[in-house]
Amino acid sequence: MSVSLTRWLPGLLLTVALPLFAHAEGPQYGPELQGFDYPYTLKHFAFQSQGKSLQMGYMDVAAHGKANGRTVVLMHGKNFCGATWDSSIQALSEAGYRVVAPDQIGFCTSSKPDHYQYTFQQLAANTQQLLKALGIQKATLLGHSTGGMLATRYALQYPDQVEQLALVNPIGLEDWKALGVPYRSVDQWYQRELKVTAQGIRDYERSTYYGGRWKPEFDRWVDMLAGLSNGPGKTLVAWNSALIYDMIFTQPVYYEFKDLKMPTLLLIGTSDTTAIGKDIAPPEVKAKIGHYEVLGKQVAKLIPQSTLVEFPGMGHAPQMEEPAQFHQALLGWLNKTNPVR
């Protein structure tokens, strides 16, 4: 069980969670990831959406040292959380940026509604509402994986509020549905998500994200996901996950990359093979999807003000595989396309 100490502030909610007890198969966490330690102070933003009272967990980390007056908003992937940005938060903060790392509704430390119409537009609007409450009018977006699809949608929806857009191995660089991947219903996704195990997560991530390699520090993130999926909120977590997968599959951003109006950086680990629905695709379809060594180059040509940085041999999360190399490339581009004066 867990105990949460909660204090309301105007529009904001601060929660401190005490750990849940572990069991033989690993830790279990509450439906809003209660019991899992975040690298920086976790706050909560309370708001109304679709007739429900919801809250978004987020970290708001001030610049360490000399502030440059800019903010970077981090958008996590489907199998990730705000916490998985820990090394990026540190690097950006030390470089003078304020860093805001929210957990989107349906994920991690945020609300898991029993019913919610998930769209990237809705998640973008939720995030924009949070930034407005924090007094942030313009920001740079850094989106990873599914967060890359969300960051793209946000940049299309609020172009005047986005200074720069950086995408780390974003999914959605192709339209899987149009390429022949079969549709999986929400009910089918739900049944699949109910069967999530730590070993299954580890095996999938090792083969798909990291080219067959594994580092001990990745185990913490497996425990995070497995502990959330197998905790007391198991069914609600699985249901929201199913709705989110349906959103990802049915709402491509691919056709609108050409409309992005801000400097855009693609940071691509070329060994990544991530593709939604690849596990149920016919062999001929499976063979042609998820090739990031090709996709990065193709999409860079579609985006008007794009820069492509490739990390040969790296997988789905170069910011976690080789943080120093990744952050050198990111920070160099951020200052080059928007120099500090």
Side-chain angles (χ1 to χ4, degrees):
M1 297 299 293
S2 70
V3 180
S4 291
L5 305 178
T6 303
R7 186 173 58 160
W8 285 89
L9 299 172
L12 302 175
L13 178 66
L14 183 62
T15 301
V16 179
L18 303 180
L20 291 142
F21 293 108
H23 67 105
E25 296 175 2
Q28 283 188 312
Y29 301 116
E32 295 175 3
L33 207 48
Q34 293 95 334
F36 184 85
D37 291 330
Y38 264 44
Y40 298 89
T41 302
L42 179 66
K43 302 176 182 179
H44 288 80
F45 171 61
F47 67 109
Q48 294 286 319
S49 177
Q50 299 185 19
K52 297 178 183 294
S53 296
L54 303 176
Q55 59 82 18
M56 288 175 70
Y58 70 97
M59 293 173 285
D60 183 2
V61 181
H64 181 72
K66 186 179 179 183
N68 62 20
R70 295 193 207 147
T71 300
V72 178
V73 179
L74 307 180
M75 297 183 169
H76 61 78
K78 172 68 179 71
N79 294 322
F80 301 82
C81 291
T84 54
W85 284 114
D86 55 351
S87 66
S88 296
I89 295 172
Q90 181 179 348
L92 288 162
S93 175
E94 289 176 352
Y97 292 90
R98 178 184 181 181
V99 186
V100 178
D103 284 334
Q104 297 299 325
I105 293 300
F107 294 86
C108 310
T109 63
S110 295
S111 297
K112 315 286 187 306
D114 51 359
H115 291 92
Y116 201 65
Q117 179 64 46
Y118 278 102
T119 64
F120 285 114
Q121 288 89 337
Q122 177 69 71
L123 297 185
N126 295 348
T127 307
Q128 198 252 5
Q129 200 173 336
L130 166 65
L131 298 184
K132 186 176 180 181
L134 296 175
I136 298 168
Q137 296 176 328
K138 277 200 168 190
T140 288
L141 305 183
L142 177 59
H144 172 232
S145 191
T146 297
M149 293 184 79
L150 175 57
T152 300
R153 177 57 59 204
Y154 191 109
L156 292 164
Q157 201 160 316
Y158 306 108
D160 296 338
Q161 297 173 32
V162 180
E163 293 178 325
Q164 299 153 295
L165 174 64
L167 307 174
V168 189
N169 281 74
I171 61 170
L173 297 181
E174 56 193 341
D175 181 349
W176 313 286
K177 177 165 52 71
L179 291 170
V181 175
Y183 177 73
R184 188 185 249 141
S185 71
V186 170
D187 290 323
Q188 288 171 323
W189 277 116
Y190 176 62
Q191 291 303 320
R192 179 180 181 268
E193 291 303 282
L194 285 174
K195 299 181 179 74
V196 165
T197 65
Q199 190 59 50
I201 293 168
R202 187 177 290 104
D203 290 345
Y204 170 78
E205 294 189 352
R206 181 190 288 115
S207 63
T208 304
Y209 290 177
Y210 303 116
R213 300 178 302 276
W214 194 257
K215 291 185 176 182
E217 54 263 37
F218 299 159
D219 285 326
R220 168 169 159 78
W221 311 123
V222 172
D223 287 345
M224 175 188 73
L225 282 182
L228 178 66
S229 294
N230 294 304
K234 178 182 176 75
T235 55
L236 203 52
V237 168
W239 179 248
N240 277 264
S241 183
L243 295 176
I244 290 163
Y245 270 123
D246 187 71
M247 170 186 74
I248 294 168
F249 187 76
T250 61
Q251 298 178 29
V253 296
Y254 173 78
Y255 305 102
E256 294 164 86
F257 284 126
K258 62 182 173 51
D259 300 323
L260 290 168
K261 293 181 166 54
M262 62 290 299
T264 301
L265 175 65
L266 285 163
L267 295 147
I268 303 293
T270 61
S271 292
D272 189 6
T273 59
T274 304
I276 300 298
K278 185 168 68 172
D279 57 319
I280 58 170
E284 65 276 11
V285 174
K286 186 175 181 177
K288 67 183 180 182
I289 59 176
H291 296 290
Y292 275 75
E293 76 282 4
V294 175
L295 293 171
K297 295 179 181 69
Q298 288 178 345
V299 171
K301 293 177 182 176
L302 300 177
I303 299 172
Q305 299 181 62
S306 71
T307 300
L308 173 64
V309 174
E310 292 183 316
F311 300 99
M314 287 195 216
H316 190 60
Q319 79 278 20
M320 295 161 69
E321 268 195 276
E322 298 292 345
Q325 186 180 342
F326 173 86
H327 294 120
Q328 182 180 10
L330 172 66
L331 290 166
W333 179 84
L334 290 177
N335 194 38
K336 183 180 179 183
T337 56
N338 192 357
V340 175
R341 292 179 174 86

